[in-house]
Amino acid sequence: MPSNSAADHLISRQLYRREIAPLTFEPHEWELLTRLPARVMIAATSAEPDSDRRTVDEGLAGINAIAAGADEDSELVKAIVGAIYAEADPDPPAAEQFRDPHAAITEVLVSCRAAAIVLDSRATPADGQAYRRWLAAIADQVCGAARSGGLLGIGGVTRSPAEQRFLADLLDALRNV
């Protein structure tokens, strides 16, 4: 049986995730931080035109990478993952791409810059860095989920030049440079 201090610690962590973390941010800031992981995932799938099978593989990798945030040390990232999965979506997409990839990816990168500003002003430095690392990991796993190029599954690269460029642009946006 856990000690009272261990139980109190667990309760305080759960309270932080459900109630305190969203209160640290304005509602529009919280919405930005909770919606951005899925948008980054879709941007990463859209960085390189792929077959439907590759897009599905990338989408599934992204969903898994988002869920992996629950294992982060950051209470902020855990709270965001909890908020994402608390929203009921009866028919979540397994894979999706933007209709106008260039414009949509640019919009996601602008949102990443906005998130970086929010994190710098409202989150602890450790939580801000953890959130940035988590988004970068989501994009990296998506971009690396399916080989591009090649013929009949032979050859190709894990990350195309377009995907590498997107990953670099994403890191710059998260640093707000």
Side-chain angles (χ1 to χ4, degrees), residues 2 6 22 45 47 69 81 122 134-135 145 151:
T45 65
V81 172
R122 299 222 186 240
W134 177 50
L135 286 187
L151 181 63

Side-chain angles (χ1 to χ4, degrees), residues 94-140:
E96 189 173 330
Q97 288 186 325
F98 293 124
R99 295 184 208 289
D100 180 354
H102 179 71
I105 289 171
T106 299
E107 183 181 316
V108 169
L109 295 173
V110 168
S111 294
C112 287
R113 290 182 196 286
I117 292 168
V118 168
L119 292 167
D120 288 344
S121 66
R122 299 222 186 240
T124 66
D127 278 338
Q129 287 305 315
Y131 182 85
R132 288 172 171 97
R133 279 191 313 272
W134 177 50
L135 286 187
I138 292 167
D140 187 60

